[in-house]
Amino acid sequence: MHPEYGGSATAYHRTVIFECASTVTREPAAVAAQQVRLLARYQPEGRFRSLDPEDPLYRAALAQLAAVRLDVTARRAKFKLGQNRPAESRRRIIAELRKRGRPLDSRAADALEWTLDIDRAGAPTVVPSG
């Protein structure tokens, strides 16, 4: 890789594109129900007053929000993990990622190692999700 060329970054990515049909509602009860699901996921410990669209604490905020439902109609996955690069280049990148040690570098290095494994074993059967 060139030390100054920024175009190489797109040689390493995993992407999923979802095509969706959407439904939008501003109905306060539907918005409150969506907020309850979000709170259950991200604040499961509770410690908040129950979301009621008629409660003065929430009424104004819920009136300003919308609930969006996405129904997936199609999906496409693509991964580019430097498979077109020589194995030695990928090994060097793996070593640099492990040396740098940022939070997601280990996962990226594992994904690149996977490309070396499929080079040795043949066609992949499972793409790593890590």
Side-chain angles (χ1 to χ4, degrees):
M1 288 176 54
H2 190 280
E4 296 176 3
Y5 178 66
S8 297
T10 61
Y12 303 96
H13 67 87
R14 292 186 288 194
T15 303
V16 178
I17 299 169
F18 294 97
E19 293 180 22
C20 301
S22 64
T23 307
V24 179
T25 181
R26 294 185 57 86
E27 169 61 40
V31 174
Q34 180 185 50
Q35 293 299 108
V36 166
R37 288 189 298 276
L38 284 169
L39 286 164
R41 170 70 170 93
Y42 295 106
Q43 196 174 333
E45 68 278 3
R47 293 183 289 189
F48 52 85
R49 193 151 86 196
S50 186
L51 269 92
D52 178 350
E54 298 303 316
D55 186 329
L57 179 64
Y58 296 117
R59 189 176 324 154
L62 292 174
Q64 296 178 36
L65 298 174
V68 179
R69 177 183 171 87
L70 300 175
D71 293 305
V72 177
T73 58
R75 66 182 151 271
R76 295 185 313 269
K78 179 179 182 177
F79 67 97
K80 287 174 61 180
L81 299 171
Q83 301 94 310
N84 61 330
R85 306 265 195 256
E88 190 50 46
S89 294
R90 286 180 273 159
R91 283 188 196 93
R92 190 178 71 251
I93 293 167
I94 291 165
E96 289 298 320
L97 285 166
R98 297 210 187 280
K99 182 173 135 184
R100 184 172 72 173
R102 289 185 184 166
L104 298 177
D105 284 352
S106 178
R107 287 175 57 186
D110 291 345
L112 284 172
E113 280 185 351
W114 175 78
T115 68
L116 296 172
D117 293 343
I118 63 170
D119 283 355
R120 287 188 291 270
T125 54
V126 177
V127 175
S129 62

